[in-house]
Amino acid sequence: MSSLAGKTAVVTGSSRGVGADTAKLLAGEGANVVVNYRQKAPRANKVVKEIEAAGGKAVAVQADMTEPEDVRNLFARAVEAFGGVDVLVLNASGGMETDLGEDYALKLNRDAQDDTLTAALEHLPEGGRVVFVTSHQAHFINDVETMPEYVEVARSKRAGEDTLTARIPELTEKGITFVVVSGDMIEGTVTATLLNRARPGALEERREAAGKLYSVQEFAEEIARMVTADVPTGHVELVGGADDFLAKAGRKEA
C-alpha cells in the first residue's frame, strides 16, 4: 500500500493513547478513520473532532472487542460511513484490569483479536493490510522472562500474535498483508503506569536497559508507518530495536 488517500482504516481501542494518536496520523495521511471505543464516547468523539478540525474524516463507533456482535457492528458502521474497509489496526489490548474476570486477558488479547480479523475479512479487499500491535515483553515471552505482574498479559498477547500469524496463508490467498509492530514499555500508557505502580521503578529499569523508551506519539508514528510500509507479510517491526531481548533469547533477529 503506497497511499492512504481515500482508504478506510479501522483502529481498535483508539479513543486515547497510542490508538488515538495512530488514528490522527492515518487521518492526516488521507485515510477515513473509524475511532473505536469500549465505553468512553466523549473521549472518542474528541478524537473525531480533532481529526475533522485538521481536515480529516472520522467516525466514532462503540464496540467491546470481546463481544462478537459489537465487532460485526463496528465493520458494518465503517462500511456505512465510508463504503468499505482497507486497513485494520489491532491496537486494543488489556488484561491488567482486576474487575473484568480471570480470563479477560486471554479473551481480549487472543480470542477477540482472532474474531475481529474474521469479521474484517468479510470486507478487506485485495491489497488490504492488518497491523497487530504488541510489546517486546509479549513478543519475546516464550524466551525472555518479564515482570510477574505482566506475565499473564504477555502470554495472552503472544497467544494472540501466534493465532493471527497462523492465519497468514489464509490472508495471502486473499491478497491481504499482515504486519506485527512490537514496542518496549511506552511512556505514558495505561499499561506502563499500572506496571510502574505495581512494581515501583519498573519504568526506570526498562529505560536504562533499552537506552530509550518511546513516547505514545513516537510509537504511534511507527504503527502508522507500518500501515503503508513496503514490507513482506509476516514482518515483525521491533520499534526502537530490542537488543537486550534478542540477546537473552539468543537470537539475532525476530
Side-chain angles (χ1 to χ4, degrees), residues 148-243:
E149 296 85 354
Y150 192 64
V151 168
E152 182 180 356
V153 175
R155 291 198 180 283
S156 68
K157 284 187 69 65
R158 180 68 216 201
E161 181 181 337
D162 290 343
T163 298
L164 296 174
T165 299
R167 299 185 67 174
I168 287 177
E170 174 190 359
L171 296 176
T172 300
E173 285 186 8
K174 296 176 180 292
I176 297 166
T177 51
F178 175 77
V179 176
V180 174
V181 181
S182 178
D184 210 314
M185 291 177 70
I186 307 299
E187 303 266 16
T189 60
V190 173
T191 297
T193 300
L194 291 174
L195 280 172
N196 204 52
R197 186 178 301 162
R199 181 179 287 267
L203 265 175
E204 183 59 34
E205 288 177 14
R206 279 308 311 152
R207 197 178 294 116
E208 290 180 4
K212 167 188 169 63
L213 293 182
Y214 276 54
S215 67
V216 167
Q217 174 70 20
E218 289 171 329
F219 188 45
E221 288 172 356
E222 294 300 313
I223 296 168
R225 185 171 66 85
M226 282 297 110
V227 168
T228 56
D230 183 14
V231 294
T233 193
H235 173 75
V236 178
E237 183 71 9
L238 297 174
V239 175
D243 290 349

Side-chain angles (χ1 to χ4, degrees), residues 81-128:
F82 301 121
V85 177
D86 303 280
V87 174
L88 171 61
V89 179
L90 292 165
N91 170 74
S93 67
M96 293 196 68
E97 301 85 349
T98 58
D99 59 342
L100 295 173
E102 291 184 7
D103 63 343
Y104 182 70
L106 203 56
K107 188 176 180 182
L108 174 60
N109 298 329
R110 182 192 65 186
D111 301 344
Q113 308 300 318
D114 191 41
D115 186 55
T116 301
L117 177 57
T118 296
L121 288 179
E122 296 180 14
H123 306 283
L124 286 168
E126 183 176 355

